[in-house]
Amino acid sequence: MPPEPRRPAINRLFFALWPDDAVRAACAAAARSLRIRVPPGGHLSRPERYHLTLLFLGDCVPADKEAALRQAAGLLRLPPFALRLDQAGSFHRRSVPWWLGMREVPQPLQRLHERLRDAALRVGLAPDRARFVPHVTIVRDAGKPLPMTPIAPIHWHVDAFVLVRSRLERTPSEYELLGRWPLDGLPGEDPRDPDQLALAL
């Protein structure tokens, strides 16, 4: 019998925003308050796991494409920006995760998502095509939906983004930070330069 084909190695990667301690503490306080007001099932996410996914890259990203993504990420030149988390809600999934998010996605955040998606496509990856809904997950397996609920605004100064690996072989799973890139561009600077990206990749 011919040997079974080798399964690709698990390498689940995503780009994300990684909050500082003050933002984590504010998100944790909002989560506790919501849980008291609308008691869910499930469990609160640990504050050290809080993040805002910018782009999910796949479960089996090859090493050469991971290296190319790092190069592309280093070419982005976007200025820092401010986020305002001002509402909570949930997704209609079986596990019904609750999240903190925003009424309107600010343009700088949308632009960062689009630039990272461009980079992923250039290295030959097919990133998640779902509509970009930026959020921070605060409860998992809630079992009941959370209606859109205003929260006291949480102000988040965003000055960097990160590349993260989900370590699924560990129990519980862990996040490993693989790289961090500052947002140090000038206001009005357009980082979308196909020639530069092509040279790097």
Side-chain angles (χ1 to χ4, degrees):
M1 293 179 61
E4 292 186 6
R6 293 181 60 185
R7 294 182 179 179
I10 296 294
N11 189 26
R12 176 178 286 186
L13 302 182
F14 59 93
F15 283 115
L17 300 182
W18 206 251
D20 60 23
D21 290 344
V23 172
R24 290 184 189 279
C27 289
R32 291 192 298 269
S33 175
L34 288 164
R35 198 178 191 191
I36 291 171
R37 290 159 56 189
V38 188
H43 57 276
L44 291 171
S45 297
R46 301 197 308 271
E48 63 267 24
R49 294 179 64 85
Y50 290 161
H51 64 276
L52 188 153
T53 299
L54 292 166
L55 186 69
F56 178 68
L57 297 161
D59 287 326
C60 304
V61 179
D64 60 336
K65 296 188 186 304
E66 178 185 330
L69 279 169
R70 292 171 184 253
Q71 285 185 295
L75 286 174
L76 295 186
R77 290 294 178 267
L78 284 166
F81 57 91
L83 283 185
R84 173 187 163 104
L85 303 177
D86 55 12
Q87 72 174 2
S90 61
F91 290 124
H92 297 290
R93 301 173 186 163
R94 185 171 59 181
S95 61
V96 196
W98 288 10
W99 47 259
L100 304 179
M102 56 210 76
R103 292 184 179 89
E104 295 184 8
V105 179
Q107 187 178 23
L109 176 58
Q110 182 69 38
R111 185 179 299 120
L112 177 55
H113 163 75
E114 291 170 356
R115 299 303 184 261
L116 292 173
R117 182 174 179 79
D118 288 347
L121 290 171
R122 282 184 173 275
V123 305
L125 292 175
D128 189 2
R129 296 178 61 86
R131 183 171 67 92
F132 182 44
V133 183
H135 63 279
V136 176
T137 300
I138 55 171
V139 176
R140 297 187 180 276
D141 300 314
K144 66 169 67 173
L146 177 69
M148 290 296 183
T149 305
I151 63 169
I154 298 171
H155 299 281
W156 182 351
H157 177 69
V158 178
D159 59 6
F161 65 95
V162 298
L163 179 64
V164 185
R165 174 183 291 133
S166 294
R167 301 299 299 267
L168 302 178
E169 77 279 8
R170 300 179 180 177
T171 305
S173 63
E174 297 179 1
Y175 293 140
E176 177 184 2
L177 296 187
L178 301 178
R180 182 182 184 278
W181 293 271
L183 294 173
D184 55 5
L186 298 174
E189 184 177 6
D190 185 357
R192 192 173 193 175
D193 187 335
D195 294 333
Q196 281 191 340
L197 282 175
L199 286 172
L201 303 179

